[in-house]
C-alpha cells in the first residue's frame, strides 16, 4: 500500500513538472519568435509604456502572485532578463522568488484565518474546489508540487492554511518555490541567449 502511494505521488510530481517544462518551452518559443521576427524598436513601440515601468510591472507581478498566479512568473523572468530594471538578472530572480514565496505565505495565513469562518464555508470557489481533493489526497506534498510546477502556488498555499498544515512545515516545503525560480531563471537566461 505504501509503495502504491509513493508511486502515485511520484507520477503526480513528474506529470506536473513535465507540464511546467512544456509551458516553459512554449513561452520560450514565442519569446524567440518575437525576437527573431521583430526589431528591438518594434517591440519597444508595442510594449514600451508598460515595458519600462518597473513599478507597474512589479505591481502586476505581486497581484498575480497573490491572486493565484494569473500571469505565469516566467513572463516576469523574461521581462527581467530583457530590461534589468530591478537589478542584475540573478538578483532580480531572487527578488521575484522572495515575492512569490511571501505571496504564498500571505495566502497560507489567509487560509488559516478563514478556516473556521462560517460565512466562508457557504461560498463555493470552483477553482479551489478542484484542488481541495488534491490537498486531501497529498497534503504537504502538494505544496512541493505546486512550488515547482504550474499548479497555482497561491491557491495551494491558501488550501494548506485552510487544511491545517503546520506553519513551519509549510514554510519549509514552500522553499522549493525559490529553487524553481532560480532553475527556470537560469534556463531562460541560457536559452534566451540563443
Amino acid at each position: 500500500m505504501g509503495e502504491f502511494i509513493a508511486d502515485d505521488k511520484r507520477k503526480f510530481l513528474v506529470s506536473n513538472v513535465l507540464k511546467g517544462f512544456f509551458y516553459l518551452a512554449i513561452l520560450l518559443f514565442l519569446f524567440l519568435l518575437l525576437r527573431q521576427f521583430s526589431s528591438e524598436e518594434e517591440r519597444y513601440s508595442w510594449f514600451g509604456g508598460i515595458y519600462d515601468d518597473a513599478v507597474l510591472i512589479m505591481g502586476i507581478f505581486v497581484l498575480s502572485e497573490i491572486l493565484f498566479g494569473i500571469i505565469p512568473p516566467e513572463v516576469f523572468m523574461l521581462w527581467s532578463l530583457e530590461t534589468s530594471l530591478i537589478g542584475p538578472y540573478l538578483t532580480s530572480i531572487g527578488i521575484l522568488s522572495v515575492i512569490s514565496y511571501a505571496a504564498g505565505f500571505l495566502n497560507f495565513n489567509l487560509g488559516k484565518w478563514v478556516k473556521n469562518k462560517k460565512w466562508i464555508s457557504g461560498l463555493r470557489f470552483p477553482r479551489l474546489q478542484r484542488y481541495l481533493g488534491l490537498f486531501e489526497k497529498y497534503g504537504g506534498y502538494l505544496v512541493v508540487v505546486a512550488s515547482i510546477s504550474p499548479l497555482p502556488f497561491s491557491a495551494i498555499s491558501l488550501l494548506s492554511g485552510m487544511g491545517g498544515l503546520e506553519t513551519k512545515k509549510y514554510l519549509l516545503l514552500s522553499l522549493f518555490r525559490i529553487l524553481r525560480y532560480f532553475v527556470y531563471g537560469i534556463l531562460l537566461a541560457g536559452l534566451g541567449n540563443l
Side-chain angles (χ1 to χ4, degrees):
M1 178 72 169
E3 187 176 309
F4 174 74
I5 292 171
D7 190 45
D8 186 42
K9 284 183 173 182
R10 194 174 311 112
K11 285 180 185 176
F12 181 68
L13 174 66
V14 169
S15 168
N16 280 287
V17 168
L18 289 176
K19 282 181 195 172
F21 282 123
F22 177 72
Y23 295 138
L24 179 65
I26 289 173
L27 183 65
L28 188 60
F29 176 72
L30 293 173
F31 172 73
L32 292 174
L33 275 179
L34 185 66
R35 258 191 174 178
Q36 180 69 31
F37 294 108
S38 65
S39 68
E40 189 171 334
E41 293 81 26
E42 289 174 317
R43 290 191 304 272
Y44 188 79
S45 71
W46 297 333
F47 306 114
I50 296 171
Y51 198 69
D52 287 339
D53 191 342
V55 173
L56 175 64
I57 297 292
M58 292 304 290
I60 292 169
F61 175 70
V62 169
L63 282 175
S64 176
E65 288 299 294
I66 291 172
L67 300 174
F68 308 146
I70 296 168
I71 302 170
E74 294 79 17
V75 169
F76 299 96
M77 291 178 195
L78 288 171
W79 167 79
S80 176
L81 179 65
E82 288 288 296
T83 67
S84 300
L85 288 176
I86 56 173
Y89 183 61
L90 286 180
T91 302
S92 66
I93 293 300
I95 292 167
L96 294 173
S97 70
V98 168
I99 290 170
S100 181
Y101 182 80
F105 188 57
L106 174 73
N107 278 316
F108 173 79
N109 283 308
L110 180 62
K112 287 176 73 167
W113 180 75
V114 301
K115 179 169 86 172
N116 296 319
K117 304 294 182 205
K118 298 251 186 252
W119 60 270
I120 201 80
S121 63
L123 298 176
R124 296 287 175 238
F125 300 97
R127 190 166 181 192
L128 286 179
Q129 291 297 325
R130 177 177 167 210
Y131 298 109
L132 186 57
L134 290 175
F135 182 75
E136 290 170 356
K137 183 175 183 179
Y138 296 112
Y141 187 75
L142 185 61
V143 174
V144 173
V145 175
S147 294
I148 60 176
S149 76
L151 286 178
F153 176 66
S154 289
I156 301 304
S157 296
L158 181 74
L159 289 174
S160 298
M162 291 174 75
L165 190 65
E166 294 174 22
T167 302
K168 285 182 184 178
K169 187 172 184 179
Y170 169 80
L171 288 171
L172 182 64
L173 295 173
S174 62
L175 283 173
F176 281 95
R177 187 70 173 172
I178 294 173
L179 176 65
R180 176 203 182 192
Y181 269 73
F182 278 98
V183 168
Y184 276 47
I186 291 167
L187 285 172
L188 288 172
L191 297 173
N193 289 327
L194 296 176

